[in-house]
């Protein structure tokens, strides 16, 4: 089986306005939970950089209950914004490219720290055959999150965050691809578009 594992934000969803909308809501959540903090945007960056997820950072570093994080951040205006991007020309072109991989025998799964409410619309906008792997207790880059995938299958894992790729470098049968316009690491392949990724998977051996 040929297994492709894709991140969502920064890989499949790259619209700057939408990603800024997500970040804005995260900052507002930090402001809501930590009203004493004078620079919530900076605090959000610190939490995300150190823990890979704003809510996880609030829980681990400050013992703050974040059960309402998804409801607060992924609100209706953000979901409406997401649907406008998913129905747009660029995403539909990328979706067709990924669907061509499925026709070639690839199994495609989305592996994101974003909740199912966010990931499932992205998956369905590509194909009913695209699956989502998500467990709110197992978030990248914790190594346990990667154990949700079989170690008997060769996986190609694409993420825009090098921190999320690092655990997979040491896992058996994982091949990592950094999705970025700037090459930042020698030991990982760097690609910058979905068509480039599809071309790579179709014509470049990765074993």
């Amino acid at each position: 089986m040929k297994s492709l594992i894709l991140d969502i934000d920064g890989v499949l969803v790259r619209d700057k306005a939408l990603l800024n909308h997500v970040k804005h809501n995260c900052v507002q959540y930090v402001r809501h939970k930590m009203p004493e903090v004078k620079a919530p945007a900076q605090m959000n960056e610190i939490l995300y950089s150190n823990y890979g997820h704003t809510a996880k950072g609030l829980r681990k570093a400050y013992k703050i209950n974040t059960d309402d994080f998804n409801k607060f951040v992924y609100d209706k205006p953000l979901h409406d914004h997401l649907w406008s991007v998913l129905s747009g020309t660029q995403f539909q072109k990328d979706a067709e490219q990924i669907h061509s991989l499925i026709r070639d025998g690839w199994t495609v799964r989305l592996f994101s720290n974003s909740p199912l409410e966010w990931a499932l619309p992205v998956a369905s906008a590509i194909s009913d055959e695209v699956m989502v792997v998500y467990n709110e207790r197992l978030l990248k880059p914790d190594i346990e999150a990667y154990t949700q995938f079989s170690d008997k299958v060769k996986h190609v894992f694409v993420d825009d965050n090098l921190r999320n790729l690092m655990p997979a470098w040491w896992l058996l049968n994982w091949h990592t691809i950094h999705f970025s316009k700037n090459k930042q690491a020698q030991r990982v392949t760097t690609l910058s578009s979905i068509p480039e990724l599809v071309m790579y998977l179709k014509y470049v051996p990765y074993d």
Side-chain angles (χ1 to χ4, degrees):
M1 182 178 76
K2 298 184 290 186
S3 169
L4 176 62
I5 302 171
L6 298 170
D7 183 33
I8 296 178
D9 293 355
V11 176
L12 294 173
V13 173
R14 304 186 304 280
D15 182 86
K16 289 184 179 180
L18 178 59
L19 296 179
N20 285 336
H21 192 165
V22 176
K23 182 181 291 187
H24 169 80
N25 284 9
C26 288
V27 171
Q28 294 309 308
Y29 186 79
V30 172
R31 189 191 305 276
H32 170 66
K33 290 292 185 175
M34 305 181 74
E36 71 281 5
V37 171
K38 295 182 179 180
Q42 183 177 2
M43 174 61 73
N44 180 62
E45 290 291 339
I46 292 171
L47 293 170
Y48 183 81
S49 296
N50 290 334
Y51 296 93
H53 194 280
T54 300
K56 181 181 175 183
L58 288 171
R59 287 195 307 271
K60 291 208 165 190
Y62 298 98
K63 311 303 180 186
I64 293 174
N65 186 303
T66 58
D67 290 346
D68 59 343
F69 177 83
N70 289 339
K71 183 176 180 180
F72 186 103
V73 172
Y74 297 93
D75 57 10
K76 186 178 186 305
L78 183 59
H79 276 281
D80 290 343
H81 195 168
L82 172 64
W83 279 112
S84 71
V85 170
L86 296 182
S87 61
T89 302
Q90 184 58 63
F91 183 87
Q92 290 300 312
K93 287 181 178 179
D94 287 346
E96 176 54 34
Q97 290 280 314
I98 295 170
H99 200 261
S100 72
L101 292 174
I102 296 174
R103 292 194 294 267
D104 286 345
W106 285 84
T107 295
V108 179
R109 283 168 288 188
L110 308 190
F111 181 35
S112 173
N113 287 345
S114 300
L116 290 175
E117 297 91 333
W118 187 258
L120 288 175
V122 177
S124 63
I126 299 171
S127 169
D128 292 340
E129 298 175 80
V130 174
M131 296 172 284
V132 175
V133 176
Y134 174 76
N135 185 325
E136 63 182 356
R137 296 185 300 275
L138 300 175
L139 300 177
K140 300 178 293 185
D142 288 350
I143 189 64
E144 291 83 0
Y146 302 77
T147 63
Q148 299 174 94
F149 302 89
S150 171
D151 60 1
K152 309 299 184 187
V153 176
K154 179 77 176 185
H155 303 293
V156 177
F157 174 41
V158 185
D159 202 298
D160 67 314
N161 190 335
L162 282 171
R163 183 182 175 88
N164 292 337
L165 293 173
M166 289 177 64
W169 287 346
W170 312 107
L171 293 175
L172 181 67
N173 290 333
W174 284 66
H175 176 81
T176 55
I177 294 177
H178 185 215
F179 198 91
S180 173
K181 293 187 180 300
N182 301 307
K183 187 172 179 60
Q184 299 181 24
Q186 294 183 346
R187 68 170 67 185
V188 63
T189 301
T190 301
L191 302 176
S192 60
S193 71
I194 296 300
E196 188 178 11
L197 170 64
V198 171
M199 186 72 68
Y200 177 87
L201 295 179
K202 286 186 175 182
Y203 300 108
V204 178
Y206 56 88
D207 291 324

